[in-house]
């Protein structure tokens, strides 16, 4: 039908079955999907598990360094991994706009399949809905993920305490800048690629050396590290003191942020993490990160401090200081 | 801001945190969400689990007997339950159109919270994205669910075999007719309510008496029982012979289907199941269903037969016979 998705592809009949078979099962390719049940089964040992979900509405769908499909795999794996858990399985729910090119859908599905295979985290169940033209924007994907926690690991958002070290795994703002660079009415020249990546092998290496000394980990997605640190500050009733000079930032990202009028601290990342680590373990955790391909530029950027106002304070490169606030407005919609 | 969702509600900052707190955490109200981590943790015994996901794009969002929120809870619980598993936890991903009334969002969230509490299956993690006006249609919800399988239960889509009995848990077509009755340009008078309901206590009662004699269960959602039976027929390489007179159907639903030019066999259900049961256990399983509030009108509607063509054949009320096909077209978009 002209190579485009139509409403029958979401109607539960033969056309839908064919689409799922030809595009999704082919791309994700595993025995769970082939079984064709309403759900997929797997075996777990006794213990603690985690579950998470994210919706992906990034615009444009294809951007330098990835597309909505890789994002939907990496982002959900990362939210599982931030607990210290080993990601096991993913689900994927697609909401597709009538008229969306089948070739683009296949490209997205193939990218998802490749990302999930590379990460070793299969997409074992899915869903496909189609809405009328003008009632969605190409394709939206919601993924959910489950994983298992190593015994004894129990990170919590309120666990940061005064004196703890703050480590970031690499340069900030790459994803947001890469997506913005392809926005209509905004195109600017940059070679920046999204940092979109699955961080679970990095977190596993960190947990192996840091164990329970890692108080908590977060992937600073929407809102950037500014939002992440402010969230942790409020949840743990502490403040942060960070050092601008220590925060890894690519010159091209800094330049693009200046051009866009954005603070890189507010810009989304999709392959970075922030860890709050007890001081005695900070060196070992940092060393483990530096030894990992996704943590080569890791840096200790500051400390947790006592602060009844829960402020995130930053010593700036010019020697001054300022308070790092959340992004108040709507500068960066649909970045993930 | 005028009581409507705006783009800042999805930007990862303070406004988003406030929205999640005020609307979703209040409605879903549980300790997992309050912990505020990127994921939620829970303890499981060793064994087999299942995972499933569905997206919900029903239009209109509110319909007689429910709304998109109750649907998103019941539908995903049911896909877990159809494996014979006990549903444990849900995740919920929201994609919201800018300008959507906060009051409607709260109503939907409250309905979800109530449905999840009534079912005893908490929503332990979620996500909130906002897209620009005209890039979605009010709100879309994707839920995922996990559950645990009783030892020894392992239903498969290819398990139906010649001689098995086909049981349906109650009257068909109610959900589809209830939603269609509120479609713009289509409103017609009917008292039919959606059958939207969580079927996991019914399936538990069935599994308790039927055990491994229950070959498989399915909830006949999009595409109705016609699609479900055709799917099973192909997956199990069998045919079906069913008896129209035995299929529970409300007179008002039959009348509405006639008015709409639809075959009730193609119309979606959201609180019904089809079970394929070994003949020796059929009476006991049917009795257990009849004794359950959600199975009071359960009926044995036919049998599995050998058929190289995998046809679903129906003896009609007039004594003739016909082949029940999948719905070919796009008559019923956005029914769930
Ligand atoms: N986009 C997708 N990617 C991978 N698998 C998919 C996708 N969409 C559907 N599936 C798989 O296809 C099968 C049928 O899915 P389907 O959504 O029809 O079942 P259902 O959830 O029981 O029905 P409904 O969505 O109408 O409630 C399932 O095994 C499901 O995992
Ligand atoms: N609609 C919702 N209902 C319930 N809880 C929600 C909802 N949206 C978000 N949450 C919860 O709020 C917290 C923060 O979610 P958020 O999406 O900001 O985290 P994240 O997934 O790490 O970030 P991102 O989505 O930018 O990747 C999580 O605990 C999440 O479960
Ligand atoms: Mg996330
Ligand atoms: Mg489905
Ligand atoms: Mg996260
Ligand atoms: Mg379903
Ligand atoms: Mg999220
Ligand atoms: Mg189902």
């Amino acid at each position: 039908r002209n190579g485009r998705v139509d409403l029958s592809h979401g109607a539960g009949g033969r056309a839908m079955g064919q689409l799922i078979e030809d595009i999704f099962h082919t791309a994700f390719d595993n025995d769970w999907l082939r079984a064709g049940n309403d759900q997929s089964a797997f075996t777990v040992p006794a213990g603690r598990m985690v579950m998470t979900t994210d919706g992906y509405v990034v615009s444009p769908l294809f951007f330098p360094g990835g597309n909505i499909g890789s994002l939907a795999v990496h982002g959900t794996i990362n939210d599982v991994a931030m607990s210290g858990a080993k990601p096991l399985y993913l689900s994927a729910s697609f909401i597709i706009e009538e008229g969306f090119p089948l070739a683009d859908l296949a490209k997205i599905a193939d990218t998802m399949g490749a990302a999930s295979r590379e990460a070793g985290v299969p997409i074992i169940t899915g869903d496909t809905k189609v809405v009328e033209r003008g009632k969605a924007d190409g394709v939206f994907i919601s993924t959910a993920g489950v994983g298992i926690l190593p015994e004894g690991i129990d990170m919590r958002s309120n666990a940061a305490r005064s004196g703890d070290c703050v480590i970031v795994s690499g340069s900030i703002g790459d994803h947001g800048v890469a997506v913005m660079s392809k926005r209509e009415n905004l195109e600017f020249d940059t070679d920046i690629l999204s940092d979109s990546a699955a961080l679970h092998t990095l977190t596993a290496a960190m947990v192996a050396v840091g164990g329970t000394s890692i108080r908590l980990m977060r992937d600073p997605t929407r809102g950037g590290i500014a939002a992440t640190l402010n969230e942790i500050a409020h949840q743990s009733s502490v403040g942060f003191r960070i050092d601008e000079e220590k925060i890894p930032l690519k010159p091209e990202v800094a330049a693009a942020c200046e051009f866009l009028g954005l603070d890189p601290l507010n810009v989304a990342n999709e392959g970075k993490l922030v860890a709050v680590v007890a001081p005695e373990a900070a060196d070992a955790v940092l060393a483990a990160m530096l030894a990992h391909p996704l943590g080569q530029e890791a840096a200790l950027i500051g400390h947790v401090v006592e602060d009844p106002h829960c402020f995130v304070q930053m010593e700036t490169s010019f020697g001054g200081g300022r308070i790092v606030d959340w992004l108040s407005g709507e500068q960066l919609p649909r970045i993930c």
Side-chain angles (χ1 to χ4, degrees), chain A residues 126-129:
Chain A
D127 185 60
T128 307
K129 296 287 187 292

Side-chain angles (χ1 to χ4, degrees), chain A residues 17-329:
Chain A
Q18 202 68 50
L19 180 83
I20 292 171
E21 185 61 38
D22 291 352
I23 292 198
F24 297 112
H25 286 194
T26 305
F28 304 162
D29 190 34
N30 60 58
D31 289 339
W32 292 277
L33 287 177
R34 265 188 297 275
N37 295 310
D38 282 4
Q39 67 296 116
S40 280
F42 50 88
T43 303
V44 291
R48 278 167 67 76
M49 296 188 68
V50 298
M51 181 176 194
T52 193
T53 192
D54 264 335
Y56 299 86
V57 299
V58 65
S59 172
L61 294 169
F62 297 87
F63 50 80
N67 64 44
I68 191 172
S70 41
L71 215 55
V73 168
H74 294 153
T76 294
I77 287 177
N78 290 347
D79 275 337
V80 169
M82 291 308 121
S83 66
K86 175 182 158 65
L88 291 179
Y89 303 105
L90 298 175
S91 66
S93 157
F94 289 77
I95 296 173
I96 310 169
E97 185 186 6
E98 179 188 13
F100 191 68
L102 288 167
D104 286 349
L105 190 62
K107 220 182 288 175
I108 290 165
D110 287 344
T111 306
M112 283 185 84
S116 114
R117 267 189 301 279
E118 197 190 322
V121 185
I123 300 161
I124 62 171
T125 187
D127 185 60
T128 307
K129 296 287 187 292
V130 180
V131 299
E132 307 88 332
R133 213 179 280 266
K135 300 294 186 187
D137 193 15
V139 57
F140 301 141
I141 306 175
S142 290
T143 43
V146 294
I148 38 173
L149 280 164
E151 183 138 1
I153 297 299
D154 184 16
M155 300 180 190
R156 286 160 191 268
S157 59
N158 62 0
R161 55 184 91 162
S162 177
D164 286 348
C165 298
V166 181
I167 302 175
V168 62
S169 66
S171 70
I172 64 165
D174 298 14
H175 174 73
V177 166
V179 172
M180 299 304 283
S181 78
K182 294 298 167 208
R183 280 275 166 85
E184 265 179 76
N185 314 324
L186 205 70
E187 292 193 33
F188 56 93
D189 250 358
T190 176
D191 295 330
I192 294 294
L193 303 181
S194 167
D195 58 351
S196 182
L199 296 171
H200 59 311
T201 58
L202 175 62
T203 53
M206 293 166 67
V207 169
V209 304
T212 55
S213 297
I214 303 175
R215 310 275 197 217
L216 63 94
M217 300 188 283
R218 284 281 171 90
D219 56 334
T221 51
R222 288 178 289 174
I225 73 164
T228 297
L229 292 177
N230 272 287
E231 249 179 71
I232 301 172
H234 279 88
Q235 293 178 316
S236 296
S237 300
V238 296
F240 283 100
R241 192 153 307 192
I242 58 172
D243 186 346
E244 186 169 23
E245 290 214 309
K246 303 238 175 86
I247 303 173
L249 176 66
K250 298 194 170 105
E252 310 93 293
V253 172
C257 285
E258 186 137 358
F259 171 80
L260 293 166
L262 292 171
D263 182 339
L265 295 171
N266 293 131
V267 178
N269 311 276
E270 290 290 345
K272 298 291 152 44
L273 65 82
V274 171
V276 177
V277 183
E280 64 274 13
D283 285 347
V285 170
L286 184 57
M289 294 174 77
L290 291 166
H292 189 282
L294 292 171
Q296 291 175 37
E297 295 173 28
L300 197 160
I301 63 165
H303 292 88
V304 178
V305 296
E306 274 180 51
D307 182 353
H309 301 294
C310 304
F311 283 152
V312 178
Q313 300 199 54
M314 183 166 77
E315 193 175 320
T316 63
S317 309
F318 309 107
R322 68 171 176 98
I323 286 173
V324 176
D325 206 356
W326 324 54
L327 191 72
S328 60

